[in-house]
Coordinates of all heavy atoms in Angstrom, one line a residue:
H268 N -32.3 -34.9 -35.0 CA -32.9 -36.1 -35.6 C -32.6 -37.4 -34.9 O -33.3 -38.4 -35.1 CB -32.4 -36.1 -37.1 CG -31.0 -36.5 -37.2 ND1 -29.9 -35.7 -37.0 CD2 -30.4 -37.8 -37.6 CE1 -28.8 -36.4 -37.3 NE2 -29.1 -37.6 -37.5
S269 N -31.5 -37.4 -34.1 CA -31.1 -38.6 -33.4 C -31.8 -38.8 -32.0 O -31.5 -39.8 -31.4 CB -29.6 -38.8 -33.4 OG -29.2 -37.8 -32.5
T270 N -32.6 -37.9 -31.6 CA -33.3 -38.0 -30.3 C -34.4 -39.1 -30.4 O -35.2 -39.0 -31.3 CB -33.8 -36.6 -29.9 OG1 -32.7 -35.7 -30.0 CG2 -34.5 -36.7 -28.6
P271 N -34.6 -39.9 -29.4 CA -35.6 -40.9 -29.4 C -36.9 -40.3 -29.4 O -37.2 -39.2 -28.8 CB -35.4 -41.7 -28.1 CG -34.2 -41.1 -27.5 CD -33.7 -40.0 -28.2
E272 N -37.8 -40.8 -30.2 CA -39.2 -40.3 -30.2 C -40.0 -40.8 -29.1 O -41.0 -40.2 -28.7 CB -39.9 -40.7 -31.6 CG -39.2 -40.0 -32.7 CD -39.7 -40.5 -34.1 OE1 -40.7 -41.3 -34.0 OE2 -39.1 -40.0 -35.1
K273 N -39.7 -42.0 -28.5 CA -40.5 -42.5 -27.4 C -39.4 -42.9 -26.3 O -38.4 -43.4 -26.6 CB -41.1 -43.7 -27.9 CG -42.2 -43.6 -28.9 CD -42.8 -44.8 -29.3 CE -43.9 -44.6 -30.4 NZ -44.7 -45.8 -30.6
L274 N -39.9 -42.5 -25.1 CA -39.1 -42.8 -24.0 C -39.9 -43.6 -22.9 O -41.1 -43.4 -22.9 CB -38.6 -41.5 -23.3 CG -37.6 -40.6 -24.1 CD1 -37.4 -39.4 -23.4 CD2 -36.3 -41.4 -24.3
P275 N -39.4 -44.5 -22.1 CA -40.1 -45.2 -21.2 C -40.7 -44.2 -20.2 O -40.4 -43.2 -19.8 CB -39.1 -46.1 -20.5 CG -37.9 -46.1 -21.3 CD -37.9 -44.8 -22.1
A276 N -41.9 -44.7 -19.6 CA -42.6 -43.9 -18.5 C -41.7 -43.9 -17.3 O -40.9 -44.9 -17.1 CB -44.0 -44.5 -18.2
P277 N -41.7 -42.9 -16.5 CA -40.9 -42.9 -15.3 C -41.3 -44.1 -14.4 O -42.4 -44.6 -14.4 CB -41.4 -41.5 -14.6 CG -42.1 -40.7 -15.7 CD -42.6 -41.7 -16.6
C278 N -40.1 -44.4 -13.7 CA -40.4 -45.5 -12.6 C -39.8 -45.0 -11.3 O -39.4 -43.9 -11.3 CB -39.8 -46.8 -13.2 SG -38.0 -46.7 -13.4
R279 N -39.8 -45.8 -10.3 CA -39.4 -45.4 -9.0 C -37.9 -45.0 -9.1 O -37.5 -44.0 -8.4 CB -39.5 -46.6 -8.0 CG -39.4 -46.1 -6.7 CD -39.9 -47.2 -5.6 NE -39.6 -48.6 -6.1 CZ -38.8 -49.4 -5.4 NH1 -38.4 -49.2 -4.2 NH2 -38.7 -50.7 -5.9
Q280 N -37.0 -45.6 -9.8 CA -35.6 -45.4 -9.9 C -35.1 -44.5 -11.0 O -34.0 -44.1 -11.1 CB -34.8 -46.6 -9.8 CG -34.6 -47.1 -8.5 CD -35.8 -47.9 -7.8 OE1 -36.4 -48.5 -8.7 NE2 -35.9 -48.1 -6.6
A281 N -36.1 -44.3 -12.0 CA -35.5 -43.6 -13.2 C -36.6 -42.7 -13.8 O -37.7 -43.2 -13.8 CB -35.0 -44.7 -14.3
R282 N -36.1 -41.6 -14.5 CA -37.0 -40.8 -15.3 C -36.2 -40.3 -16.4 O -35.0 -39.9 -16.3 CB -37.5 -39.7 -14.5 CG -38.3 -38.6 -15.2 CD -38.7 -37.4 -14.2 NE -37.7 -36.5 -14.0 CZ -37.6 -35.2 -14.6 NH1 -38.6 -35.0 -15.5 NH2 -36.8 -34.3 -14.4
S283 N -36.7 -40.4 -17.7 CA -36.0 -39.9 -18.8 C -36.7 -38.7 -19.5 O -37.9 -38.7 -19.4 CB -36.0 -41.1 -19.9 OG -35.2 -42.2 -19.5
Y284 N -36.0 -37.9 -20.0 CA -36.5 -36.6 -20.6 C -35.6 -36.0 -21.6 O -34.4 -36.3 -21.5 CB -37.0 -35.5 -19.6 CG -35.9 -35.0 -18.8 CD1 -35.2 -33.8 -19.1 CD2 -35.4 -35.5 -17.6 CE1 -34.1 -33.3 -18.4 CE2 -34.4 -35.1 -16.8 CZ -33.7 -33.9 -17.2 OH -32.8 -33.4 -16.5
L285 N -36.1 -35.2 -22.5 CA -35.3 -34.6 -23.6 C -34.9 -33.2 -23.1 O -35.7 -32.5 -22.5 CB -36.1 -34.6 -24.9 CG -36.5 -35.9 -25.3 CD1 -37.3 -35.7 -26.7 CD2 -35.4 -36.8 -25.6
A286 N -33.7 -32.8 -23.4 CA -33.2 -31.4 -23.1 C -32.2 -31.1 -24.2 O -31.1 -31.7 -24.2 CB -32.7 -31.4 -21.7
R287 N -32.3 -30.1 -24.9 CA -31.5 -29.5 -25.9 C -30.9 -30.6 -26.8 O -29.7 -30.7 -26.9 CB -30.4 -28.8 -25.1 CG -30.8 -27.6 -24.5 CD -29.6 -26.7 -24.0 NE -29.9 -26.2 -22.8 CZ -29.0 -25.9 -21.8 NH1 -27.8 -25.9 -22.1 NH2 -29.4 -25.4 -20.8
G288 N -31.8 -31.5 -27.2 CA -31.3 -32.5 -28.2 C -30.6 -33.9 -27.6 O -30.2 -34.7 -28.2
S289 N -30.6 -33.8 -26.2 CA -29.9 -34.9 -25.5 C -31.0 -35.6 -24.7 O -32.0 -35.0 -24.4 CB -28.9 -34.3 -24.4 OG -27.7 -33.7 -25.1
T290 N -30.8 -36.9 -24.4 CA -31.6 -37.6 -23.5 C -31.0 -37.7 -22.2 O -30.0 -38.1 -22.0 CB -31.9 -39.1 -24.1 OG1 -32.5 -38.9 -25.4 CG2 -32.9 -39.8 -23.1
V291 N -31.7 -37.2 -21.2 CA -31.3 -37.2 -19.9 C -31.9 -38.4 -19.1 O -33.2 -38.5 -19.2 CB -31.5 -36.0 -19.1 CG1 -31.0 -36.0 -17.6 CG2 -30.9 -34.7 -19.8
V292 N -31.2 -39.2 -18.5 CA -31.7 -40.3 -17.7 C -31.4 -40.1 -16.2 O -30.2 -40.1 -15.9 CB -31.2 -41.8 -18.1 CG1 -31.8 -42.9 -17.3 CG2 -31.4 -42.0 -19.6
E293 N -32.3 -39.6 -15.5 CA -32.1 -39.2 -14.1 C -32.4 -40.4 -13.2 O -33.5 -40.9 -13.3 CB -33.1 -38.1 -13.9 CG -33.1 -37.3 -12.5 CD -34.1 -36.3 -12.6 OE1 -33.8 -35.1 -12.9 OE2 -35.2 -36.6 -12.0
L294 N -31.4 -40.8 -12.4 CA -31.6 -42.0 -11.5 C -31.8 -41.5 -10.1 O -31.4 -40.4 -9.7 CB -30.4 -42.8 -11.6 CG -30.1 -43.4 -13.0 CD1 -28.8 -44.4 -13.0 CD2 -31.3 -44.0 -13.7
H295 N -32.6 -42.4 -9.3 CA -32.9 -42.0 -8.0 C -32.7 -43.1 -7.0 O -33.0 -44.4 -7.4 CB -34.4 -41.5 -7.9 CG -34.8 -40.4 -8.8 ND1 -34.6 -39.1 -8.5 CD2 -35.2 -40.5 -10.0 CE1 -35.0 -38.4 -9.5 NE2 -35.4 -39.1 -10.4
G296 N -32.5 -42.9 -5.7 CA -32.6 -43.9 -4.6 C -31.5 -44.9 -4.7 O -30.4 -44.6 -5.1
T297 N -32.0 -46.2 -4.5 CA -31.0 -47.3 -4.5 C -31.0 -48.0 -5.9 O -32.0 -48.5 -6.3 CB -31.5 -48.3 -3.3 OG1 -31.4 -47.6 -2.1 CG2 -30.5 -49.6 -3.4
I298 N -29.7 -48.1 -6.3 CA -29.6 -48.8 -7.7 C -28.7 -50.0 -7.5 O -27.6 -49.9 -7.1 CB -28.9 -47.9 -8.7 CG1 -29.6 -46.5 -8.8 CG2 -28.9 -48.4 -10.1 CD1 -31.1 -46.4 -9.1
D299 N -29.3 -51.2 -7.7 CA -28.6 -52.4 -7.5 C -29.2 -53.4 -8.4 O -29.9 -53.2 -9.4 CB -28.7 -52.9 -6.0 CG -30.2 -53.1 -5.6 OD1 -31.1 -53.2 -6.5 OD2 -30.4 -53.2 -4.4
L300 N -28.6 -54.7 -8.2 CA -29.0 -55.8 -9.2 C -30.5 -55.9 -9.4 O -30.9 -56.1 -10.5 CB -28.4 -57.1 -8.6 CG -28.5 -58.3 -9.6 CD1 -27.8 -58.1 -10.9 CD2 -28.0 -59.5 -9.0
S301 N -31.4 -55.6 -8.4 CA -32.8 -55.8 -8.4 C -33.4 -54.6 -9.3 O -34.5 -54.9 -9.8 CB -33.3 -55.9 -7.1 OG -33.3 -54.7 -6.4
T302 N -32.9 -53.5 -9.4 CA -33.4 -52.4 -10.0 C -32.9 -52.1 -11.4 O -33.5 -51.4 -12.2 CB -33.4 -51.1 -9.2 OG1 -32.0 -50.8 -9.0 CG2 -34.1 -51.2 -7.8
V303 N -31.6 -52.6 -11.7 CA -31.1 -52.4 -13.0 C -31.9 -52.7 -14.1 O -31.9 -52.0 -15.2 CB -29.7 -52.9 -13.1 CG1 -29.1 -53.1 -14.5 CG2 -28.7 -52.2 -12.2
P304 N -32.6 -53.9 -14.2 CA -33.4 -54.2 -15.4 C -34.4 -53.1 -15.7 O -34.6 -52.7 -16.9 CB -34.1 -55.5 -15.1 CG -33.2 -56.2 -14.0 CD -32.7 -55.0 -13.2
E305 N -35.2 -52.6 -14.7 CA -36.1 -51.5 -15.1 C -35.4 -50.2 -15.5 O -35.8 -49.5 -16.4 CB -36.8 -51.1 -13.9 CG -38.1 -50.3 -14.1 CD -39.1 -50.2 -12.8 OE1 -38.6 -50.5 -11.7 OE2 -40.2 -50.0 -13.1

């Protein structure tokens, strides 16, 4: 019941998905001050 019903669309550095009641936020590439807001 605590899993989000809506997740942001994938972007260049992040993708979110649901797995076994958890939300997985998968990060990619370079993560820095310019990409953190997205």
Side-chain angles (χ1 to χ4, degrees):
H268 74 281
S269 64
T270 302
E272 295 174 5
K273 295 182 180 187
L274 296 172
C278 63
R279 194 165 37 122
Q280 276 81 24
R282 172 177 87 98
S283 296
Y284 62 93
L285 301 178
R287 294 190 220 156
S289 297
T290 302
V291 179
V292 180
E293 183 181 277
L294 304 182
H295 304 274
T297 297
I298 311 299
D299 59 20
L300 188 59
S301 68
T302 59
V303 162
E305 192 168 25

